[in-house]
Amino acid sequence: MTDLHMTIDGSRAPTTSTFDVINPATGQVFAQAPDCTPAQLDQAMAAAQAAYRTWHRDEKLRCELLLMASEAVLAHTERLAPLLVREQGKPLANARQEFSSAATWLRYYAELEVPREIVQDDAAGYAEVFRRPLGVVAAITPWNFPISLAMWKIAPALRAGNTMVLKPSPYTPLTTLALGELLQEIFPAGVLNIVTGLDPLGEMITAHPTPRKISFTGSTATGKHVMRSAASDLKRVTLELGGNDPAIVLDDADPAIIAEGLFWGAFANSGQICAAVKRVYVHESICAEVVDVLAELAGKVRIGDGMLSTTQIGPLNNKAQFDLVTQLVEDAAHRGARVAAGGAALLGDGYLFRPTVLSDLDDGVRVVDEEQFGPVLPVVSYRTVDDAVERANNSRYGLTASVWSSDPERAALVGLRLETGQVSINAHMGGVRASLPFGGAKWSGVGVENGPWGLASFSETQVITGPSRI
Ligand code: NAD
């Protein structure tokens, strides 16, 4: 496993020093990843800069190569998915989904029609708005979806004509390196450079003079550092940050019908999804019943090593996250919450935590107010819809939300009152698609990814005017 190298200028960069990569199912080091030096980062930026000169000039070629990349990702899924399981922890079936989603994003951007924006075309003159690529862009990604979230950046950035230097999380560097090795066979040298290293490498990237944009996905705290650092030379930023996403269950919802959707909205990927349900507000008339159905599902779900075919929920990715989740559950229990399911880690050396449902708690308890990013769902009872909406909005975060009801129109009217980038009705994360804008309000982010909006975020407008059509 130690033979994965950084991809700089289309070739394998020599490894001078390395850092440990841990398998979250065992808590043991299982591989080493290359630690990028400042000189290697300069080399990656210079390679991207050189490649930009020709890459941005041939859109047809870019679309063809994105399609080839989509096919290559699909063709190599079976080889690469187990590596993702070993460094990230997720079940193998979900690791495969990351690759199929990455292939979908590549195909979407290869095939996206970008209409011309002609504002004037008459006897008096001509005016058209063009989108110019930015040049070299940098991407920094987190550990929860290393492949699909990297592709939310790679596909639109390259389609728009930019070249890229991408740094994955130090917890999950290996699959992204393997992706880089695969794609270096397709893209010209220097178009996509993957560098790995610890967090200070992220700071070196945001402070580097070459990239004109930083596209960042990660925590709100780091996002603020990125924005501050980028401001010094006015780099553009897109920030996809943390969330504390509310679900509101109205009094007319049927607990048995909504249970599965609500449960997986909170517990998929062990709850390590920025847009997972992180707190659920349930009308007091059905709250006990909703707690019971969620607790029953939590008790039945199979947790374990993601490589086992029976596993539905894998471990938390790393010790820091495991410790945070443990602390938040202990704090809630200490503050009087009832542990309706789970409540503790599974014995063993890895980072497995039992799916946990908490009830009899309120806003003001840490697990309700903070982003737990783990397999823990606090269920909070409310009396009036106005109260539920106010409490859902009473957060620094505003990523996504969902409303559950037997009357979808009623639910949608409640949804429109929520201060979030997306709202799903009778589902959670229903809007996570290549074609729809994804981004957060308030502290959940700046800007959006995906769709034509995501493509536009990797460009700047240029107006051409003249006496006649160009
Ligand atoms: P993190 O902020 O710790 O790290 C994210 C990336 O930033 C990593 O690659 C890290 O090495 C790098 N980094 C760390 N310090 C840096 C610095 N000073 N400058 C530049 N880069 C730096 O986040 P994480 O723990 O990897 O991810 C979990 C968080 O990400 C959660 O809060 C989650 O909600 C959020 N997230 C958001 C989205 C979204 O689309 N909104 C998606 C996934 C995850």
Side-chain angles (χ1 to χ4, degrees):
M1 207 52 62
T2 47
D3 63 345
L4 282 166
H5 288 72
M6 292 181 293
T7 303
I8 297 178
D9 200 11
S11 39
R12 297 164 141 235
T15 304
T16 43
S17 67
T18 61
F19 60 94
D20 293 341
V21 184
I22 290 173
N23 179 343
T26 62
Q28 304 299 315
V29 175
F30 83 102
Q32 299 290 310
D35 198 6
C36 181
T37 63
Q40 284 174 321
L41 180 62
D42 286 344
Q43 208 185 324
M45 293 291 180
Q49 187 89 71
Y52 177 72
R53 286 187 203 113
T54 45
W55 178 250
H56 77 279
R57 295 174 67 179
D58 189 346
E59 186 169 26
K60 187 163 165 283
L61 175 70
R62 297 201 300 272
C63 292
E64 285 167 10
L65 296 185
L66 286 178
L67 266 189
M68 281 174 66
S70 172
E71 280 155 26
V73 166
L74 283 182
H76 288 265
T77 295
E78 286 309 309
R79 179 174 66 82
L80 297 179
L83 181 59
L84 181 54
V85 175
R86 288 174 73 195
E87 66 174 353
Q88 205 289 326
K90 64 185 62 196
L92 185 57
N94 300 137
R96 289 192 184 110
Q97 279 165 7
E98 276 213 51
F99 288 95
S100 78
S101 146
T104 301
W105 255 250
L106 282 161
R107 176 170 286 276
Y108 171 80
Y109 278 109
E111 294 177 344
L112 183 65
E113 299 275 340
V114 184
R116 291 180 72 167
E117 297 173 76
I118 299 167
V119 178
Q120 183 191 13
D121 186 10
D122 55 29
Y126 181 77
E128 181 167 351
V129 180
F130 284 85
R131 308 270 166 178
R132 290 177 56 78
L134 296 160
V136 177
V137 297
I140 300 177
T141 53
W143 46 259
N144 58 338
F145 286 89
I147 294 301
S148 44
L149 293 179
M151 205 50 83
W152 287 20
K153 304 181 188 309
I154 296 170
L158 267 49
R159 163 67 199 267
N162 305 280
T163 56
M164 178 174 272
V165 174
L166 184 147
K167 185 196 91 64
S169 165
Y171 291 112
T172 52
L174 301 176
T175 326
T176 314
L177 288 175
L179 179 75
E181 289 194 349
L182 177 66
L183 297 184
Q184 81 185 18
E185 308 287 325
I186 294 168
F187 297 127
V191 166
L192 176 63
N193 305 275
I194 311 287
V195 293
T196 55
L198 301 173
D199 290 350
L201 177 61
E203 289 182 59
M204 280 162 53
I205 289 173
T206 59
H208 200 281
T210 300
R212 296 319 311 145
K213 170 166 181 140
I214 310 291
S215 180
F216 172 83
T217 303
S219 64
T220 295
T222 309
K224 291 180 185 179
H225 284 297
V226 169
M227 196 162 184
R228 269 194 290 272
S229 173
S232 64
D233 74 334
L234 293 179
K235 292 183 180 82
R236 279 44 177 161
V237 290
T238 295
L239 305 175
E240 294 286 3
L241 309 178
N244 190 11
D245 293 17
I248 298 180
V249 180
L250 301 182
D251 56 0
D252 61 358
D254 180 336
I257 290 177
I258 67 169
E260 285 262 346
L262 192 55
F263 179 84
W264 287 109
F267 291 93
N269 211 40
S270 287
Q272 300 164 120
I273 305 183
C274 51
V277 180
K278 307 256 169 70
R279 51 196 169 121
V280 53
Y281 293 96
V282 184
H283 190 264
E284 60 182 2
S285 61
I286 55 168
C287 193
E289 224 183 314
V290 169
V291 170
D292 286 349
V293 291
L294 290 173
E296 195 186 329
L297 285 170
K300 276 197 212 148
V301 79
R302 292 184 300 272
I303 61 172
D305 185 330
M307 288 307 291
L308 299 174
S309 60
T310 47
T311 296
Q312 293 173 288
I313 291 185
L316 286 154
N317 172 258
N318 56 71
K319 177 84 166 62
Q321 197 58 38
F322 177 82
D323 289 345
L324 173 68
V325 167
T326 307
Q327 273 168 29
L328 291 178
V329 171
E330 283 173 3
D331 173 73
H334 181 69
R335 304 271 307 267
R338 181 169 82 86
V339 179
L346 205 69
L347 285 181
D349 295 328
Y351 307 137
L352 281 160
F353 200 93
R354 291 179 192 279
T356 297
V357 177
L358 301 169
S359 67
D360 299 3
L361 76 177
D362 217 331
D363 304 316
V365 177
R366 283 185 66 197
V367 74
V368 181
D369 293 355
E370 297 178 24
E371 180 184 43
Q372 66 274 45
F373 218 60
V376 178
L377 183 61
V379 184
V380 181
S381 156
Y382 72 85
R383 187 158 291 174
T384 67
V385 172
D386 284 349
D387 181 37
V389 167
E390 193 175 318
R391 288 153 81 179
N393 284 338
N394 185 22
S395 169
R396 291 287 200 179
Y397 294 112
L399 195 52
T400 78
S402 55
V403 186
W404 305 72
S405 164
S406 56
D407 178 350
E409 278 177 41
R410 179 180 173 224
L413 289 175
V414 175
L416 287 170
R417 297 171 62 191
L418 298 175
E419 297 162 354
T420 59
Q422 292 198 350
V423 183
S424 303
I425 305 304
N426 289 331
H428 198 83
M429 296 179 274
V432 181
R433 299 181 210 162
S435 58
L436 290 175
F438 184 90
K442 301 190 263 186
W443 281 11
S444 287
V446 172
V448 296
E449 297 192 289
N450 302 338
W453 304 271
L455 183 70
S457 80
F458 282 106
S459 69
E460 274 174 337
T461 55
Q462 182 181 47
V463 174
I464 303 278
T465 56
S468 60
R469 184 184 272 252
I470 318 162

